Amino acid sequence: MTDPLNRADAWTRTDPLAVSDPGLTQDAGWQIGVSRTVPHPLAKVWDLISGPTGISMWLGPGAVLSPTRGAKYATRDGAVGDVRGYRDRDRIRVTCRPPGWDHFTTIQVTVTAKGDKTLLRFHQEWLANPGERARQRDHWTAVMDRVTGALDTTP
């Protein structure tokens, strides 16, 4: 398998862990996802996560995302990447290399209407190893808590 992000340590289909570890995929290496159904309509959730306040929460302060594929961004703390996909009121997909990391990952944020509630998902793939996956699970859980707290306190 070829790693589209050209990491030297990319996982291959011959890896014996592929059968037993749910965090390791055949197509995107190590990955983590955090999801939560929130008691808010999709429009409210989308407006937060796609606006400056929400982007600052999940991607980092200073990031400005254009809905144009290939558009570059940078955060104040030095994370960089580009937009891979942007579907209004559905999903945002970006690459990201946080400061101090030697590789890019892919982050996707999705929203799905569930009646008058919304399923919010943060998913990150192309993580380097199980340790990075565990750290990012904690990171995305904290991000989810901040986002849901912001949703709960805004009209």
Side-chain angles (χ1 to χ4, degrees), residues 68-104:
T68 306
R69 184 173 169 81
K72 306 287 185 208
Y73 74 86
T75 66
R76 281 197 290 262
D77 71 356
V80 296
D82 64 274
V83 175
R84 291 291 173 103
Y86 193 109
R87 283 193 261 170
D88 192 45
R89 300 197 185 278
D90 181 47
R91 70 190 61 229
I92 300 170
R93 188 170 173 88
V94 298
T95 62
C96 182
R97 190 185 73 221
W101 288 31
D102 64 355
H103 61 279
F104 282 86

Side-chain angles (χ1 to χ4, degrees), residues 73-138:
Y73 74 86
T75 66
R76 281 197 290 262
D77 71 356
V80 296
D82 64 274
V83 175
R84 291 291 173 103
Y86 193 109
R87 283 193 261 170
D88 192 45
R89 300 197 185 278
D90 181 47
R91 70 190 61 229
I92 300 170
R93 188 170 173 88
V94 298
T95 62
C96 182
R97 190 185 73 221
W101 288 31
D102 64 355
H103 61 279
F104 282 86
T105 66
T106 301
I107 299 169
Q108 181 167 273
V109 182
T110 63
V111 293
T112 306
K114 299 287 183 186
D116 59 347
K117 299 176 182 177
T118 303
L119 176 60
L120 174 60
R121 290 186 186 118
F122 293 99
H123 184 262
Q124 188 172 17
E125 54 195 37
W126 293 111
L127 298 168
N129 53 51
E132 190 170 88
R133 179 179 186 263
R135 287 187 299 276
Q136 291 308 103
R137 178 188 307 114
D138 293 343

